[in-house]
Amino acid sequence: MIVAIDMGGTNIDGVIVEEGRIIKTIKRPTDRSNLFNTIYFTLKELLENQDKSKITRINLSTTVSTNAIVEDKITPVGMIIQPGPGLPYENLACGRENAFISGYIDHRGNVVEKMDTAEIVAIGDRFVAAGIEACGVVTKFSTRNPQHETMIRDLLGDRFATITLGHTMSGKLNFPRRVYTAYLNSAVHSSFYNFATNIKKSLEEEGVAVPIYILKADGGTMSLEAAQEKPVETILSGPAASFMGIRALLPTDEDAVLLDIGGTTTDIFFLADGVPLFQPLGIKIREYKTLVRAIYSVSMGLGGDSSIDLIDNKIKIGPERKGKPYAYGGPKATPTDAMMVLGLLEAEAGVKARAEEALDVIGKVLNLNTIETATLILDTMGEMIKSKLQGLLEEINSQPVYTIKELLYGKKLEPKLINIIGGPAKILAPILEKKLGLPCNYPSNYLVANAIGAALARPTMEISMHVDTSKKILSVPELELYERVKSSFSLSDAKERALNLIHEHAQKTGMPWDVEAEIIEETSFNMVRGFYSSGKDIRVKAQIRPGLIQELRSDENA
Amino acid sequence: MKMLKAKNKLGLVFFPAFDWRISPSHPEREERLLYTQDQLSEEGIEDIEGIKFYNPSLAEERDIERVHFCVPDVKSRVTESHLISAGGVIKSLEMVMTKQVDKAFALTRPPGHHAQRVVYGDRGFCIINVEAVAIEKIRQKYGKLRVAIVDTDCHHGDGTEDIYWNDKDTLVISFHQDGRTLYPGTGFINEMGGPGGYGYNVNIPLPPGTGEEGFLYVLDNLVMPILEDYKPDLIINSAGQDNHYTDPLTSMNFTAQGYAQLNERLNPDLAVLEGGYSIEGALPYVNLGIILAMAGLDYTKVKEPDYNKEKLRQSRDITDYIKKTTDTVYRQWQMKDDLYIRNIRGRDYIQENKRIYYDTDGIMENQVRRFKVCNKCTGVNTIDSSNDRGRHILAITIPRDACSSCLDEGYRLYKTTSHRYTNVYLQDRVNDQYLIKE
Ligand SMILES: [Zn+2]
Ligand SMILES: [Zn+2]
């Protein structure tokens, strides 16, 4: 039995799934002033009259970290940044206190200029005096050589609640993003830590002592303990929950578009051969571009309650929601009103009359009757989604590639179907089907799709391995692994090692089933110095891709 | 926190062709742009507002035929990698012309500035001239354009010189290590151009050991004044990076800072990577410097690990020598019309003999080139070329601005050629036609 919660900005959804069957769901409003209580009481209500001994895991998608960042309720962070030569760096000052230090490491991981230990000690004192509680330490190319970052951590000692080292955040190269990611990780550390401790304690008091997993933005989960170390990974898990929900309710292994059409927004996702598309580098939160792995998702300001305006005699829907639909006493006509007028949405006579009144005003200007106006509104909505999708697909299919093979023969994303959830899904499906010439599917029951997604999401991870056989060094920054290898180490050795590392890590963190690790990128370059080969530069990325713990039974999603 | 924003909208076609090489230990191998990519990734270039990465498009066979005579034909000389590399420059130039971007930088490989009009094989790692292919394609679409190519590769851009030898709408300026000390052994001051472009080919041979001071002196005192006179519609920088002090093939002392300053002052619409084989010590920093300069961002903090301004300072002898060369070349530019009257006017044809060595493929070629001196147009011209592999071809070019008699003469030559040629080619740039006869 899996118990899952998806906490969104407005609502919190809960679900219990047992052997592919949804046995209980609830929905309550989110109390943004007390997120812990919101989760705690939802869980309590969910578990009422249930056999707690049958619970195997609890999956939570929370907005604890997201809210802390968005509402600026964060720990004061001191950033120590070693920029080395290159771009201007003043703009990286994201902490309450910031120190740009001397020393530098180059792209091969060579220490070109040593760091100054006295400088660090002085910065530590300054931070303490300024009331700094957490630190972020990031040096350029630290993924290639984390020596300076770890030395700085040791020099800072235990005067800070947490110190995030840049190289532990991601193996990808991108110094500014690494700075912001480390900053955010330290900034939300105490909020998430307190939340995690409380939730664990409260559940134990309820007699529930099972593993707790937290949903990540990449559609996977991580253990509560791992999340306490890397709380930044728990940001913006909401879209991932709804994405996983659509996958669970409408499984497919084709290229597909997934849509979650709500009242205010439409979230768009893509599958390539059934596998989720990721953001190339990581997710953006507020003004911060990060290295937090995330599912590719685009939110457009278009939903059932989006307000409708006439601009130059053309219908414009959204991007704002100015209130309820006109029929329910809102200020503006909305697509929901149009659905009522067309009889696609049931409404009492009085309510429907108000919807007609709203559309009449628009129809008069356009010289259309009410029915024609309503049809035009829904058609416009379909057109907007269509053109957005076309633009996104064009962008996705022109992502930079670096080999002749990829450029000439690389996979292009060509959706074969559209899977939709959300209030207007059923009504918009036939419209989109006609507009895009693709079959559109929607589930009969989507109300707690997000919570279902959270419930069925399994753990994920990604590692980036870099091997330099001339220096005889193998590194996996995410696992803080830097080890010696023989100069004969090959690409196939690297792949094998990467898969083993994932399995080892999975076992260590108690992932309770056979994980399917896979290699997602592999390159090996001959390094030639002078006229001779001096070694190999091998790069391998491996992952456990997002997937479902169990399939929903077919009668659950028909 | 403030995000960086580029002053100029910059398009980057970065295509390292990680699956292409000439041979495993050749300088043009898979690894060449690997560390440049690492540096650009780590600096977060792709996240800077106003800078965007694009994929190359693919050049077509006819784009190549507009510029080159590939022997026996395009298919047998040109691989996908060349079509992509040229396509990268085409894409970049198209983005500039349509104002999708303010400037573009094509970091593609293989390079092209040693590829001449006749192509038997690979010269100086080049088979087709990627800039020329792009320029001629754009000209077919946008009509007459005055283009200035400033070649800052350490090697003489002899391919570009050859292609635009007889074209005054394309000013070619190359500064490079003196041909007496480096491949390809050409690029001297007296190489001024054919009758249709006399004086519009400008070479500045520089002594080994030239540093920041020398390069920037030539730029400020020669290149910029010439460009002011010429008033080009487009400035293209053939941005080879082998003048760098760490380059394994050359003997110059240029730096990332120098390249960035040069680029900022030259202010090109398009830069194209050419040579540059110090793949670890130079390219990551030089390319970063050029990108920042083009985007209008602060590049003053870009430095190589072992950068030492004092050590790289050029000697006084070099400074004096460069000043003298600069004066000579500038005087020649100012006197080009007088020199034309003295050397060209009144003659019907100018005939030149040329020997061309294909270092990469080991082929020797002999050319007899005949340029018609026409007072109505640039003039039809021919290349009678034979190589040591038994090929003997005639290549006829009808220029873009050909008068009707030059046009007729070109077709007449094509029809009446004798049987001693193994292949005859006609490039009709007026009608954008290309004909082959075997
Ligand atoms: Zn060169
Ligand atoms: Zn003529």
Side-chain angles (χ1 to χ4, degrees):
Chain A
M1 196 162 95
I2 302 167
V3 177
I5 294 280
D6 173 56
M7 181 163 65
T10 335
N11 288 313
I12 179 163
D13 297 351
V15 68
I16 299 178
V17 182
E18 190 172 23
E19 284 165 17
R21 220 179 258 288
I22 297 160
I23 58 173
K24 187 173 179 181
T25 66
I26 59 171
K27 200 179 199 60
R28 300 162 127 265
T30 300
D31 175 5
R32 289 177 80 121
S33 65
N34 197 335
L35 299 181
F36 175 75
N37 276 355
T38 307
I39 287 206
Y40 178 67
F41 288 112
T42 309
L43 267 177
K44 222 174 150 136
E45 191 181 330
L46 201 56
L47 295 177
E48 237 163 61
N49 307 321
Q50 298 293 326
D51 179 358
K52 287 174 190 157
S53 68
K54 279 165 70 185
I55 302 173
T56 51
R57 62 196 278 122
I58 293 178
N59 279 5
L60 300 176
S61 164
T62 89
T63 52
V64 171
S65 304
T66 309
N67 269 20
I69 294 167
V70 173
E71 292 173 6
D72 237 336
K73 290 177 184 154
I74 48 172
T75 310
V77 179
M79 292 299 293
I80 299 179
I81 300 168
Q82 186 186 67
L87 254 60
Y89 49 76
E90 296 77 6
N91 57 305
L92 298 177
C94 51
R96 168 86 58 92
E97 292 286 323
N98 301 280
F100 295 99
I101 60 164
S102 58
Y104 112 73
I105 288 167
D106 76 2
H107 56 84
R108 289 284 310 280
N110 301 313
V111 177
V112 175
E113 186 191 315
K114 284 191 183 142
M115 51 170 260
D116 178 355
T117 51
E119 193 184 352
I120 306 303
V121 174
I123 290 164
D125 295 343
R126 192 185 104 203
F127 281 4
V128 170
I132 293 297
E133 291 164 26
C135 291
V137 177
V138 185
T139 68
K140 196 173 276 178
F141 285 112
S142 60
T143 52
R144 290 289 156 78
N145 181 352
Q147 190 191 326
H148 284 174
E149 286 185 1
T150 49
M151 278 167 68
I152 294 167
R153 177 192 58 200
D154 296 345
L155 285 166
L156 291 175
D158 52 9
R159 293 182 288 173
F160 302 95
T162 187
I163 299 174
T164 302
L165 303 187
H167 72 278
T168 63
M169 293 290 99
S170 166
K172 292 191 178 105
L173 292 176
N174 190 311
F175 180 59
R177 283 179 183 255
R178 197 153 64 245
V179 168
Y180 302 139
T181 311
Y183 162 71
L184 293 174
N185 195 60
S186 283
V188 300
H189 187 269
S190 76
S191 308
F192 191 85
Y193 194 90
N194 294 339
F195 165 81
T197 315
N198 281 339
I199 204 88
K200 213 170 157 179
K201 207 172 81 198
S202 311
L203 282 166
E204 273 163 14
E205 280 165 16
E206 291 289 317
V208 182
V210 295
I212 301 168
Y213 291 88
I214 306 294
L215 199 73
K216 301 187 289 179
D218 74 352
T221 59
M222 70 201 295
S223 69
L224 187 69
E225 293 71 28
Q228 280 175 297
E229 287 294 310
K230 270 196 201 182
V232 70
E233 296 236 31
T234 69
I235 60 171
L236 301 175
S237 60
S242 84
F243 168 86
M244 292 306 286
I246 309 174
R247 280 188 80 197
L249 293 167
L250 300 163
T252 175
D253 53 11
E254 302 239 44
D255 283 8
V257 178
L258 309 188
L259 297 176
D260 180 355
I261 307 179
T264 321
T265 57
T266 294
D267 288 340
I268 304 169
F269 315 94
F270 295 95
L271 293 175
D273 296 324
V275 178
L277 216 64
F278 293 101
Q279 307 273 14
L281 284 168
I283 206 162
K284 185 179 174 196
I285 183 166
R286 269 180 53 179
E287 66 269 43
Y288 306 104
K289 289 177 175 171
T290 75
L291 287 170
V292 174
R293 192 160 97 131
I295 279 175
Y296 180 93
S297 85
V298 172
S299 185
M300 68 188 289
L302 178 68
D305 301 347
S306 295
S307 71
I308 298 177
D309 288 293
L310 271 178
I311 290 177
D312 296 335
N313 280 353
K314 285 226 166 66
I315 285 179
K316 180 177 165 276
I317 312 175
E320 279 99 23
R321 175 187 191 270
K322 300 231 168 92
K324 292 177 191 165
Y326 192 83
Y328 292 126
K332 288 273 196 179
T334 67
T336 304
D337 294 300
M339 292 170 197
M340 287 177 191
V341 167
L342 292 174
L344 299 169
L345 205 62
E346 275 189 44
E348 289 165 27
V351 173
K352 188 175 172 182
R354 276 187 61 84
E356 282 168 344
E357 187 189 316
L359 265 59
D360 267 347
V361 178
I362 297 168
K364 285 230 171 67
V365 182
L366 299 177
N367 247 333
L368 298 173
N369 68 32
T370 319
I371 298 288
E372 288 166 342
T373 308
T375 311
L376 180 63
I377 288 170
L378 294 190
D379 189 77
T380 305
M381 199 170 175
E383 199 58 42
M384 287 169 73
I385 294 174
K386 178 186 171 179
S387 80
K388 184 80 188 176
L389 287 178
Q390 283 171 337
L392 292 175
L393 279 168
E394 203 183 301
E395 207 178 282
I396 289 165
N397 283 330
S398 56
Q399 283 289 315
V401 295
Y402 306 112
T403 60
I404 293 170
K405 197 175 144 209
E406 281 174 288
L407 186 71
L408 299 179
Y409 315 108
K411 169 161 174 78
K412 294 272 182 259
L413 193 65
E414 286 166 356
K416 301 285 183 298
L417 59 126
I418 303 180
N419 289 338
I420 319 176
I421 61 165
K426 183 179 170 183
I427 295 161
L428 284 174
I431 295 170
L432 288 174
E433 196 160 285
K434 216 155 67 194
K435 283 222 174 286
L436 286 139
L438 295 173
C440 291
N441 313 303
Y442 56 90
S444 53
N445 178 8
Y446 60 84
L447 279 175
V448 290
N450 300 355
I452 294 170
L456 297 181
R458 21 168 239 206
T460 52
M461 71 180 288
E462 184 189 42
I463 59 170
S464 322
M465 177 179 286
H466 182 238
V467 186
D468 182 334
T469 67
S470 77
K471 294 179 131 184
K472 304 194 180 104
I473 288 177
L474 177 152
S475 60
V476 183
E478 294 93 341
L479 300 176
E480 292 186 66
L481 179 79
Y482 293 82
E483 63 184 19
R484 307 274 301 167
V485 290
K486 284 191 192 142
S487 56
S488 61
F489 199 82
S490 68
L491 177 60
S492 64
D493 293 335
K495 292 197 289 189
E496 197 185 318
R497 182 87 179 104
L499 295 177
N500 283 339
L501 281 169
I502 287 197
H503 282 122
E504 277 171 29
H505 183 80
Q507 255 169 13
K508 227 181 352 195
T509 52
M511 295 188 191
W513 47 81
D514 294 337
V515 294
E516 290 167 54
E518 62 186 346
I519 303 291
I520 45 175
E521 275 176 47
E522 50 175 293
T523 55
S524 173
F525 291 89
N526 263 325
M527 303 165 77
V528 179
R529 297 300 174 264
F531 291 97
Y532 304 99
S533 172
S534 70
K536 283 199 171 64
D537 181 302
I538 301 171
R539 298 164 187 210
V540 169
K541 279 206 170 80
Q543 72 166 357
I544 306 170
R545 70 161 78 138
L548 303 172
I549 295 170
Q550 46 188 252
E551 304 270 311
L552 277 188
R553 290 165 65 129
S554 56
D555 49 334
E556 293 287 346
N557 53 32
Chain B
M1 196 186 96
K2 237 175 73 206
M3 289 292 175
L4 285 182
K5 193 179 166 195
K7 285 201 191 76
N8 309 313
K9 218 168 156 193
L10 175 64
L12 292 175
V13 177
F14 177 76
F15 191 75
F18 283 146
D19 51 354
W20 182 82
R21 66 183 182 205
I22 289 178
S23 65
S25 63
H26 194 280
E28 269 303 340
R29 60 178 182 276
E30 299 92 330
E31 189 192 2
R32 186 171 169 224
L33 289 174
L34 181 63
Y35 311 107
T36 295
Q37 186 188 45
D38 284 352
Q39 193 74 36
L40 301 186
S41 301
E42 178 71 349
E43 299 287 357
I45 295 295
E46 67 198 281
D47 288 329
I48 296 176
E49 193 187 335
I51 300 184
K52 200 172 167 198
F53 284 78
Y54 298 87
N55 280 326
S57 50
L58 209 61
E60 294 165 34
E61 222 170 280
R62 54 175 303 168
D63 297 327
I64 311 298
E65 291 169 340
R66 210 175 276 128
V67 171
H68 294 290
F69 300 103
C70 292
V71 185
D73 51 32
V74 172
K75 273 202 180 65
S76 37
R77 294 279 75 92
V78 170
T79 66
E80 283 166 344
S81 66
H82 302 100
L83 296 177
I84 293 170
S85 185
V89 185
I90 292 172
K91 169 83 183 178
S92 305
L93 199 47
E94 273 174 349
M95 291 194 295
V96 171
M97 295 307 291
T98 57
K99 302 205 160 51
Q100 191 182 341
V101 297
D102 299 321
K103 293 166 165 230
F105 185 11
L107 289 110
T108 57
R109 48 184 291 269
H113 76 147
H114 293 303
Q116 311 205 354
R117 283 196 287 161
V118 175
V119 177
Y120 289 119
D122 198 320
R123 299 187 69 244
F125 322 158
C126 307
I127 288 185
I128 58 171
N129 195 301
V130 291
E131 282 106 322
V133 166
I135 294 167
E136 294 314 308
K137 187 182 175 84
I138 293 297
R139 277 185 168 139
Q140 284 300 326
K141 199 163 161 188
Y142 292 86
K144 200 173 152 94
L145 271 180
R146 278 163 84 79
V147 180
I149 300 174
V150 179
D151 187 323
T152 53
D153 190 278
C154 190
H155 300 90
H156 173 224
D158 58 343
T160 313
E161 169 174 303
D162 179 69
I163 291 166
Y164 291 114
W165 185 248
N166 205 40
D167 181 356
K168 64 174 180 305
D169 285 336
T170 314
L171 168 66
V172 177
I173 303 175
S174 175
F175 44 121
H176 43 260
Q177 188 178 325
D178 196 314
R180 289 169 297 187
T181 62
L182 188 69
Y183 178 89
T186 52
F188 301 104
I189 295 173
N190 61 1
E191 295 163 24
M192 289 180 66
Y198 199 66
Y200 294 88
N201 189 75
V202 179
N203 283 320
I204 309 122
L206 297 171
T210 300
E212 284 177 6
E213 192 190 342
F215 283 101
L216 296 173
Y217 183 87
V218 171
L219 185 81
D220 291 342
N221 296 284
L222 181 61
V223 178
M224 297 316 290
I226 290 178
L227 290 177
E228 251 159 61
D229 286 349
Y230 187 72
K231 295 188 177 47
D233 302 314
L234 269 179
I235 298 177
I236 298 177
N237 179 202
S238 289
Q241 301 172 7
D242 37 13
N243 283 305
H244 195 265
Y245 64 91
T246 61
D247 197 89
L249 308 180
T250 64
S251 326
M252 300 301 236
N253 276 339
F254 210 28
T255 61
Q257 273 301 306
Y259 266 109
Q261 281 178 43
L262 185 149
N263 186 283
E264 185 180 36
R265 296 189 205 175
L266 181 64
N267 193 21
D269 303 283
L270 168 69
V272 180
L273 173 69
E274 285 288 346
Y277 299 96
S278 171
I279 61 175
E280 247 188 66
L283 265 59
Y285 309 101
V286 176
N287 282 314
L288 179 62
I290 293 178
I291 288 170
L292 295 182
M294 290 190 89
L297 289 165
D298 177 6
Y299 56 75
T300 54
K301 294 193 175 78
V302 178
K303 273 183 192 69
E304 301 84 343
D306 53 356
Y307 178 79
N308 181 333
K309 203 174 169 80
E310 282 315 306
K311 255 172 133 177
L312 296 167
R313 197 177 287 286
Q314 70 191 26
S315 73
R316 184 172 286 266
D317 287 357
I318 289 178
T319 306
D320 292 344
Y321 182 89
I322 290 173
K323 279 186 180 161
K324 249 183 260 159
T325 308
T326 302
D327 286 348
T328 311
V329 177
Y330 191 53
R331 220 172 311 121
Q332 183 172 287
W333 165 261
Q334 287 175 311
M335 288 171 56
K336 61 185 177 309
D337 296 341
D338 295 339
L339 291 169
Y340 179 89
I341 293 169
R342 195 189 307 161
N343 300 332
I344 312 278
R345 196 152 83 181
R347 298 167 66 180
D348 293 334
Y349 285 92
I350 300 290
Q351 184 165 314
E352 299 163 353
N353 296 323
K354 196 171 167 183
R355 274 166 77 80
I356 298 158
Y357 182 60
Y358 291 69
D359 62 324
T360 313
D361 282 350
I363 300 167
M364 183 59 86
E365 177 190 6
N366 278 296
Q367 289 189 353
V368 179
R369 314 194 299 170
R370 252 169 86 83
F371 298 92
K372 183 177 176 181
V373 182
C374 177
N375 56 15
K376 292 204 201 77
C377 75
T378 297
V380 65
N381 73 77
T382 58
I383 306 173
D384 180 314
S385 156
S386 51
N387 72 8
D388 55 4
R389 309 281 163 94
R391 288 280 179 190
H392 186 189
I393 68 151
L394 182 71
I396 306 154
T397 299
I398 298 170
R400 289 185 305 275
D401 65 343
C403 64
S404 57
S405 67
C406 283
L407 189 71
D408 291 346
E409 186 173 337
Y411 276 91
R412 195 169 59 245
L413 278 167
Y414 180 73
K415 277 178 199 134
T416 59
T417 44
S418 74
H419 294 291
R420 63 200 179 99
Y421 296 113
T422 51
N423 312 63
V424 180
Y425 304 87
L426 174 73
Q427 206 173 55
D428 170 1
R429 291 193 179 166
V430 175
N431 302 299
D432 202 18
Q433 284 284 329
Y434 186 76
L435 303 174
I436 309 183
K437 212 160 71 165
E438 297 208 10

